Amino acid sequence: MTSFPGLGPSSGFLQSTAWRAALALAVVFVMLAMTGWTAVRGTKDDANPLATARTAWKHATFLGRPLPDPNGSPATLRTFFAALTGAQQQQLANRYPLVVGNMGGAPAALRYRANRMAIDDARAVEKRRMGDRRLTPVGRQEAGRLMHRFESMMSPGRQILAFDPAGGGRAAEVFGSLPAAKRVSVVVPGVDTNLSTFERTVRATAAPVGMARSLYDAERTAKPGVRTAVIAWADYTTPSGLGVQAVTGNLAEAGAVRLRALVKSLPSSDTVSLFCHSYGSVVCGVAARHLPANVEDIAVAGSPGMRAESLSGLGTHARVWAMRDSDDWIQDVPYLEVGGLGHGADPVDPSFGSRILSADGAVGHAGYFAPGTRSLRNFALVGVGALDSVDCATDDPHCSTGLV
């Protein structure tokens, strides 16, 4: 048990109070599991083909020279690919599709082509699994769902920026022209995000692909002359359902490392905005302190906290915006952190210090990116830099002050 030096006889009382608070926090999260945060997600003990491919890359040579570290800086990798012909780039993509498809610094179009090949390989694996009688009926059914998901991701025109089939899987998709964009928006989703839930047909804007597509359309409507791109970034391991992973920051810390790497792989001349939903706002909060200077805005919706007690605790130069719909059940989460449980203060509490945006029209925890909502419009205005047009919450008179 944690001790509190110098507190004398009261220390036992404080310790007891802390543990009671932690227990209460855990109980509330378990109760919330019955109200909609958690979703059933199957798991698979897959091998890690990306790690295997990277190992092969590290031991290979190309044109008589060793290949660069696949985890090297985007600038180094960008220089490496710029020195190759188009045919040579494609040769590497054909040989190592998973590596090239997930490599910050590789040309975006090359990554799209490489990931298409990697997805086709994964599709073939799942097709074989569908007929594998060693699997349970549920396992074969899951294989069928994944095969159809991969077929959808291979549809003409889709731009898959990252793809990793291991475990539940990770992916990222681009809407718009990433090389031509001057403003890039990154959608960071929350719990139970994997390849199976990367997109949805029903209530499409509750899934990362639908969120990003909706935001991209809204940005083009808000300011058609601005060259924008939106990334559906589900390229981190999210908590599975509502358990210890969801109420602690371990996965958020790992996700923050990957989020920083994504942003650093974008051209430094781009203005970047992050749009972080639910547990995704925890990731953004952890990442905030060490993000590049071109990240100018961080907007969170339905946040359980950002691992900070105030805006200053985030240590960021970016503007921080927050919104929450009045019927979002996330408001019942205890906004505190005790013994590693919980994610800190409520970003929409005026005392936190963020700029509070109106979320009118959003319905429930997953409704912030629905077309026609003020929440989506506000996100789009932030994404295109039209900050003087955002609709602030009525109880935040400081939301629009000091904007440049």
Side-chain angles (χ1 to χ4, degrees), residues 244-336:
V244 173
Q245 290 181 335
V247 298
T248 58
N250 291 344
L251 289 181
E253 290 170 5
V257 172
R258 299 182 66 85
L259 180 58
R260 293 186 198 111
L262 167 76
V263 175
K264 289 177 181 177
S265 73
L266 301 171
S268 59
S269 58
D270 293 347
T271 297
V272 180
S273 301
L274 306 181
F275 298 90
C276 320
H277 177 246
S278 193
Y279 190 85
S281 66
V282 186
V283 177
C284 292
V286 175
R289 184 176 298 274
H290 300 294
L291 289 170
N294 59 334
V295 179
E296 295 187 355
D297 294 280
I298 300 173
V300 303
S303 174
M306 299 180 73
R307 307 295 290 183
E309 294 306 316
S310 66
L311 178 62
S312 62
L314 293 174
T316 181
H317 61 275
R319 289 175 291 263
V320 177
W321 310 80
M323 66 171 70
R324 185 175 64 220
D325 186 56
S326 60
D327 62 358
D328 188 339
W329 56 262
I330 202 77
Q331 64 191 308
D332 296 322
V333 167
Y335 284 95
L336 50 89

Side-chain angles (χ1 to χ4, degrees), residues 23-39:
L23 178 61
L25 184 66
V27 169
V28 171
F29 274 117
V30 170
M31 293 175 65
L32 286 172
M34 305 176 188
T35 67
W37 197 357
T38 181

Side-chain angles (χ1 to χ4, degrees), residues 31 113 134 139 183 280 323-324 360 369-370:
M31 293 175 65
R113 294 196 298 272
R134 294 173 298 177
R183 302 191 69 95
M323 66 171 70
R324 185 175 64 220
D360 285 356
F369 291 84

Side-chain angles (χ1 to χ4, degrees), residues 322 324 348-351 354 356-358 392-399:
R324 185 175 64 220
V348 300
D349 188 310
S351 65
S354 58
I356 307 173
L357 294 169
S358 170
C392 297
T394 55
D395 57 351
D396 184 7
H398 307 293
C399 168

Side-chain angles (χ1 to χ4, degrees), residues 354-392:
S354 58
R355 302 171 185 270
I356 307 173
L357 294 169
S358 170
D360 285 356
V363 177
H365 187 59
Y368 295 97
F369 291 84
T373 59
R374 191 164 296 179
S375 54
L376 176 63
R377 179 177 181 274
N378 276 330
F379 275 171
L381 291 169
V382 171
V384 298
L387 304 182
D388 56 345
S389 299
V390 298
D391 293 315
C392 297

Side-chain angles (χ1 to χ4, degrees), residues 58-71:
K58 289 178 180 178
H59 289 88
T61 58
F62 187 67
L63 303 178
R65 297 188 299 273
L67 290 166
D69 183 352
N71 297 313

Side-chain angles (χ1 to χ4, degrees), residues 28-177:
V28 171
F29 274 117
V30 170
M31 293 175 65
L32 286 172
M34 305 176 188
T35 67
W37 197 357
T38 181
V40 176
R41 180 169 82 177
T43 58
K44 298 187 301 178
D45 294 325
D46 291 343
N48 192 333
L50 177 55
T52 301
R54 281 176 172 158
T55 299
W57 170 285
K58 289 178 180 178
H59 289 88
T61 58
F62 187 67
L63 303 178
R65 297 188 299 273
L67 290 166
D69 183 352
N71 297 313
S73 72
T76 298
L77 294 169
R78 197 173 288 120
T79 300
F80 168 75
F81 280 101
L84 302 178
T85 66
Q88 290 168 342
Q89 291 180 4
Q90 190 60 49
Q91 187 178 348
L92 278 176
N94 292 343
R95 190 181 301 176
Y96 305 103
L98 270 175
V99 179
V100 175
N102 289 280
M103 189 177 289
L110 185 66
R111 291 179 67 173
Y112 302 156
R113 294 196 298 272
N115 281 321
R116 184 177 179 84
M117 290 184 282
I119 293 168
D120 194 31
D121 291 341
R123 182 199 61 79
V125 170
E126 297 305 326
K127 187 174 182 179
R128 289 195 298 270
R129 285 168 52 85
M130 286 176 62
D132 189 342
R133 293 299 168 181
R134 294 173 298 177
L135 298 177
T136 65
V138 172
R140 293 195 297 273
Q141 185 180 39
E142 174 66 13
R145 281 197 294 266
L146 277 174
M147 189 196 73
H148 291 302
R149 169 68 65 245
F150 296 153
E151 288 178 342
S152 173
M153 292 173 72
M154 292 174 62
S155 299
R158 295 194 67 169
Q159 302 177 133
I160 306 301
L161 187 68
F163 174 74
D164 181 358
R170 301 189 291 237
E173 182 170 5
V174 175
F175 295 88
S177 174

